Amino acid sequence: MLQRSIGNLAKATGVKVPTIRFYEQIGLLPAPQRTLSDRRVYGEAAVGRLAFIKHARQLGFPVEAIRDLLRLSDSPEQPCETANALAAEQLSAVRAKIAQLQVLERELQQMVDAACIGEVANCRVIEALHDHTLCAGEHQTERRPTYAGL
Amino acid sequence: MLQRSIGNLAKATGVKVPTIRFYEQIGLLPAPQRTLSDRRVYGEAAVGRLAFIKHARQLGFPVEAIRDLLRLSDSPEQPCETANALAAEQLSAVRAKIAQLQVLERELQQMVDAACIGEVANCRVIEALHDHTLCAGEHQTERRPTYAGL
DNA sequence: CCTTGATCCTCTAGCGGCTAGAGCATGTAG
DNA sequence: CTACATGCTCTAGCCGCTAGAGGATCAAGG
């Protein structure tokens, strides 16, 4: 029976040791068994679970969503609407963020294109920052459900 | 001579009161004069400076970059290479982030497209999260200079 | 004049998702 | 037996705010 130390698990999954402890602390990973000298000992299941978490994090799912997804994954008789909904929600969060960033991209592109050679007194970049009306697109920063962290 | 309270400045710029105090604390805004009862009193210059900061933040410039840009803006005889460089750096940070998110978008799209109707046991979403090899694109999460916060 | 409610003050703590470091106890290889 | 790696816990820091406690002060209406 494969038994892994935390460092070994870290290597196997590419998740850093302190992060693994952090996931345990916030309840994403169950507390593993310990040796007599209090070291964590993981079985193979932990590798799968941690890989799942890692993958979901790479996709930008927030921890709370991952908690839900893990619960679902643990009880396979449940209907999977929730999982679909979470994925759809994450997709639209990612799309929203892309759209937002593309607005920024356009404005920054303009600033960079107009970049001056000379003194700040005539600098287009500084000027553009001073004068918001020079912006084509309004870049409203929607604050609340940031969601797709990354 | 226009004198504004912090609340008035907040309304004039759309920056929240606590945020204004925060900007003062971290040295983006100079400490203003005070009334006898210790309330902050701002002149018109503060409106401009705060609008500048707000605009730069909306564009995703990190606070440290804004500090530099403000310094430049304050001393107009300086060459503006630094400003151009900061803008260019921010542009490429934004582009990198867009590219990254587009990879996620594609994978999430696939997950959502394949969404099942039924039980979690057969759920494509959960399955995809379990099995990283189902991903087309590798979504490496570049960690370090996140930069374009948003 | 007095009350009410808005605004202001400072200070501390919290968000998300880790990361870094101190200070110590074990484990492992030569 | 001696290094050095790895493990442990605990606390604090990152970014850019945001929220709340607990209090002072202001402006308007009765």
Side-chain angles (χ1 to χ4, degrees):
Chain A
M1 37 146 91
L2 265 306
Q3 301 282 60
R4 292 174 186 275
S5 70
I6 194 170
N8 190 300
L9 178 61
K11 255 170 220 148
T13 57
V15 177
K16 290 181 192 155
V17 168
T19 305
I20 295 174
R21 284 194 281 246
F22 171 74
Y23 286 157
E24 178 184 332
Q25 192 184 303
I26 64 173
L28 283 193
L29 282 179
Q33 287 191 297
R34 301 280 187 131
T35 66
L36 289 178
S37 59
D38 228 30
R39 297 182 170 213
R40 290 168 178 84
V41 179
Y42 297 92
E44 277 311 290
V47 179
R49 196 173 181 91
L50 190 47
F52 184 101
I53 296 170
K54 185 191 180 190
H55 192 189
R57 283 296 302 134
Q58 287 178 326
L59 286 169
F61 285 93
V63 164
E64 281 317 299
I66 297 177
R67 213 184 286 281
D68 293 346
L69 290 167
L70 282 168
R71 241 194 314 273
L72 288 171
S73 178
D74 288 344
S75 53
E77 76 287 354
Q78 298 259 307
C80 63
E81 291 155 25
T82 310
N84 296 343
L86 286 169
E89 195 180 341
Q90 176 61 10
L91 176 56
S92 77
V94 167
R95 290 215 169 115
K97 183 146 287 191
I98 289 172
Q100 218 182 108
L101 287 171
Q102 281 169 340
V103 174
L104 303 195
E105 185 189 12
R106 278 190 286 278
E107 189 179 347
L108 284 164
Q109 180 70 69
Q110 282 181 24
M111 281 173 58
V112 168
D113 284 349
C116 56
I117 308 162
E119 291 183 350
V120 165
N122 308 314
C123 182
R124 290 294 182 166
V125 169
I126 298 287
E127 191 182 343
L129 285 169
H130 271 296
D131 190 355
H132 191 183
T133 65
L134 297 177
C135 306
E138 290 304 312
H139 34 87
Q140 247 70 279
T141 322
E142 49 126 348
R143 283 291 171 199
R144 260 297 142 230
T146 308
Y147 208 68
L150 278 192
Chain B
M1 31 142 102
L2 266 305
Q3 301 282 62
R4 292 174 186 276
S5 70
I6 194 170
N8 191 299
L9 178 61
K11 255 169 219 148
T13 57
V15 176
K16 289 181 193 154
V17 168
T19 305
I20 296 174
R21 285 194 279 247
F22 172 74
Y23 286 159
E24 178 183 331
Q25 191 184 305
I26 64 172
L28 283 193
L29 281 178
Q33 286 192 297
R34 300 282 187 130
T35 67
L36 290 178
S37 60
D38 228 30
R39 295 178 172 217
R40 290 167 177 84
V41 180
Y42 297 92
E44 278 309 291
V47 179
R49 196 172 180 91
L50 191 47
F52 184 102
I53 295 169
K54 185 192 180 191
H55 193 190
R57 283 297 302 136
Q58 286 178 327
L59 287 168
F61 285 94
V63 164
E64 282 317 300
I66 298 177
R67 213 185 288 280
D68 293 346
L69 289 167
L70 282 168
R71 241 195 313 273
L72 288 171
S73 177
D74 288 344
S75 52
E77 75 287 353
Q78 297 259 309
C80 63
E81 290 156 25
T82 310
N84 296 343
L86 286 169
E89 195 180 340
Q90 177 61 11
L91 177 56
S92 76
V94 167
R95 290 215 169 116
K97 182 145 288 192
I98 289 173
Q100 218 183 109
L101 287 171
Q102 281 169 340
V103 174
L104 303 195
E105 184 189 12
R106 278 189 286 277
E107 189 179 346
L108 284 164
Q109 180 70 69
Q110 281 181 24
M111 282 174 58
V112 168
D113 284 348
C116 55
I117 307 160
E119 291 183 348
V120 166
N122 309 313
C123 182
R124 291 294 184 164
V125 169
I126 298 287
E127 190 182 342
L129 285 169
H130 272 296
D131 190 354
H132 191 181
T133 64
L134 298 177
C135 305
E138 291 303 315
H139 33 88
Q140 247 72 280
T141 321
E142 49 125 348
R143 282 291 171 199
R144 260 298 144 227
T146 310
Y147 208 69
L150 277 193

